[in-house]
């Protein structure tokens, strides 16, 4: 029998309707054992979404660390997320280790922690861009990281209106021309 994870419990009924007993049953554990690791359902939900956020960012990090400029890194993020949307629609395998359902849960149910984690994830890249002179020295790295993160998540949550949103190259161009120019 395949062991289900707490996050798999959240997909069919949503995080708000999943009980500690549901999680225990899915994991073949008693409810008491689940409470041994998580003080309450809110703690469990935060732990699961924190782990999902970590997996999402580690998948992105693998792609970004080989690139030399902030522009390349942010444009790669945009391309990865746009490709993810395209891959999901076409049934192809995604370049990031996250399912559509998991990303949707992160973007809707727990978007604030995901954005916080994304800011922490992006700050070193923005700071390095400042040090290399790609970004103005008066730019606040945390604020710029939030701006970039918010713009990146629009790929998955809002349709493109003025360009072909199903095209990862169009998203890359959009980010290069409109998001990154404000930092230079």
């Amino acid at each position: 029998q395949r062991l289900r994870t707490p996050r798999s419990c959240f997909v069919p009924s949503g995080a708000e309707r999943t009980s500690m007993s549901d999680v225990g049953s899915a994991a073949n554990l008693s409810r008491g054992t689940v409470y041994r690791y998580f003080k309450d359902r809110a703690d469990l939900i935060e732990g699961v979404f924190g782990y999902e956020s970590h997996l999402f960012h580690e998948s992105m990090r693998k792609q970004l660390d080989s690139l030399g400029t902030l522009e390349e890194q942010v444009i790669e993020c945009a391309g990865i997320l746009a490709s993810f949307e395209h891959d999901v629609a076409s049934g192809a395998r995604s370049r990031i280790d996250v399912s559509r359902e998991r990303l949707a849960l992160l973007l809707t149910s727990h978007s604030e922690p995901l954005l916080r984690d994304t800011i922490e994830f992006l700050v070193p890249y923005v700071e390095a861009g400042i040090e290399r002179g790609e970004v103005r020295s008066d730019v606040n790295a945390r604020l710029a990281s939030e701006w970039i993160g918010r713009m990146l998540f629009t790929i998955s949550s809002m349709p493109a209106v003025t360009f072909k949103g199903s095209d990862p190259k169009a998203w890359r161009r959009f980010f290069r021309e409109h998001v990154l120019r404000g930092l230079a």
Side-chain angles (χ1 to χ4, degrees):
Q1 179 183 6
R2 185 170 172 241
L3 180 68
R4 291 176 54 203
T5 61
R7 72 171 180 244
S8 66
C9 294
F10 295 160
V11 172
S13 54
E16 301 310 318
R17 286 193 248 147
T18 301
S19 70
M20 298 292 268
S21 295
D22 294 335
V23 171
S25 274
N28 295 321
L29 300 170
S30 71
R31 185 174 154 210
T33 300
V34 175
Y35 273 107
R36 192 173 305 145
Y37 293 96
F38 302 98
K39 66 181 179 186
D40 56 25
R41 195 167 60 79
D43 189 40
L44 170 72
I45 291 169
E46 187 172 320
V48 169
F49 284 108
Y51 181 68
E52 293 298 321
S53 179
H54 170 77
L55 289 178
F56 172 75
H57 289 109
E58 285 307 305
S59 289
M60 297 287 276
R61 186 180 319 281
K62 291 175 188 174
Q63 307 275 338
L64 303 187
D65 283 349
S66 65
L67 302 173
T69 68
L70 179 63
E71 180 176 310
E72 291 172 328
Q73 292 160 338
V74 172
I75 289 170
E76 181 67 9
C77 286
I80 290 169
L81 286 168
S83 294
F84 173 77
E85 287 298 310
H86 180 268
D87 292 347
V88 167
S90 68
R93 179 161 162 60
S94 174
R95 294 178 357 187
I96 56 173
D97 180 28
V98 65
S99 70
R100 183 177 189 80
E101 292 82 11
R102 287 164 56 195
L103 186 57
L105 283 168
L106 285 169
L107 288 171
T108 55
S109 300
H110 284 69
S111 59
E112 184 181 333
L114 176 62
L115 183 57
R116 274 196 315 268
D117 291 349
T118 299
I119 292 166
E120 296 306 316
F121 171 76
L122 290 171
V123 163
Y125 294 106
V126 173
E127 288 174 340
I130 293 169
E131 287 177 26
R132 288 189 300 265
E134 300 170 58
V135 176
R136 293 187 331 266
S137 61
D138 66 334
V139 168
N140 179 305
R142 293 187 66 70
L143 293 174
S145 295
E146 181 168 348
W147 168 247
I148 293 167
R150 286 178 177 280
M151 293 301 97
L152 286 169
F153 292 129
T154 65
I155 294 171
S156 296
S157 61
M158 296 181 73
V161 175
T162 59
F163 61 94
K164 187 176 177 184
S166 62
D167 181 4
K169 289 179 183 176
W171 278 106
R172 285 183 170 100
R173 206 169 27 258
F174 177 79
F175 268 76
R176 179 179 292 116
E177 293 174 7
H178 301 287
V179 176
L180 294 169
R181 281 194 182 161
L183 299 174

